[in-house]
Amino acid sequence: MPVRFLSAIVGAALLTLVAATPAAAASPTRPFGSLIEAESFDATLGVRVLADANASGGHAIAFSAGDWLRFDSVDFGAPGQTSGFATWRSCATGAGTIELRLDSPTATPFLTLNPAGGGCAQWYQSSLRLGLATTPTGVHSFYMHARAEGGCEFYRFDSLQLIKQTGPPIP
């Protein structure tokens, strides 16, 4: 815990006050299966937050090449539980990919999303079936990292949800 010192001369005495600086509060865990709104990020680099009445939380995030979002304390569930689907609402205005990473913006992606084009006149609900070999488990910081040619915005993100698979596990 960081400590601050404050010294003052009062009369003929030197007083030193020691004050403990409270530690930053940890983000509450985002439970497996909960809806993660784009605007609920814990850190970001370069993205733009947009007001959008059609977005589920009233806001969306616009990505350009190199931008990323971080969501802390995301519970990916227990082994076998997360072999399911990730669903998200988004729209793409150009070519590019979104790399999903754990615990660092420079970590090796565990999955890459290829957003469908078609403009942003409406939000698209997409699903991606996750396999046991690629799906993380436990609680992690979760990064969405944008890769694209050029610097223009190419992807808008509204929300994400991890959903338990109902069929046999995917190898």
Side-chain angles (χ1 to χ4, degrees):
M1 174 182 302
V3 176
R4 294 187 314 184
F5 295 94
L6 175 64
S7 297
I9 297 176
V10 177
L14 174 64
L15 297 176
T16 301
L17 303 173
V18 179
T21 305
S27 295
T29 300
R30 292 176 165 99
F32 178 78
S34 64
L35 184 69
I36 300 172
E37 292 288 350
E39 64 273 19
S40 72
F41 59 83
D42 292 289
T44 182
L45 175 72
V47 299
R48 188 166 64 102
V49 179
L50 309 167
D52 187 330
N54 294 319
S56 61
H59 292 86
I61 301 295
F63 283 93
S64 297
D67 294 354
W68 56 256
L69 287 178
R70 184 186 82 213
F71 300 96
D72 289 337
S73 303
V74 176
D75 187 353
F76 284 86
Q81 180 182 23
T82 56
S83 177
F85 292 88
T87 66
W88 65 95
R89 289 186 69 213
S90 63
C91 59
T93 57
T97 61
I98 301 295
E99 296 174 341
L100 306 183
R101 302 172 182 202
L102 295 181
D103 303 322
S104 169
T106 58
T108 301
F110 69 89
L111 198 61
T112 300
L113 307 177
N114 295 296
C120 284
Q122 68 181 32
W123 287 103
Y124 296 93
Q125 182 76 32
S126 303
S127 294
L128 180 64
R129 196 166 187 181
L130 304 175
L132 289 172
T134 59
T135 304
T137 59
V139 178
H140 296 274
S141 289
F142 171 65
Y143 287 81
M144 297 178 71
H145 189 273
R147 292 263 184 225
E149 302 267 335
C152 298
E153 289 180 356
F154 73 95
Y155 181 67
R156 292 187 181 174
F157 169 63
D158 178 27
S159 60
L160 171 77
Q161 187 173 26
L162 302 172
I163 300 172
K164 185 176 180 177
Q165 176 179 323
T166 56
I170 306 166

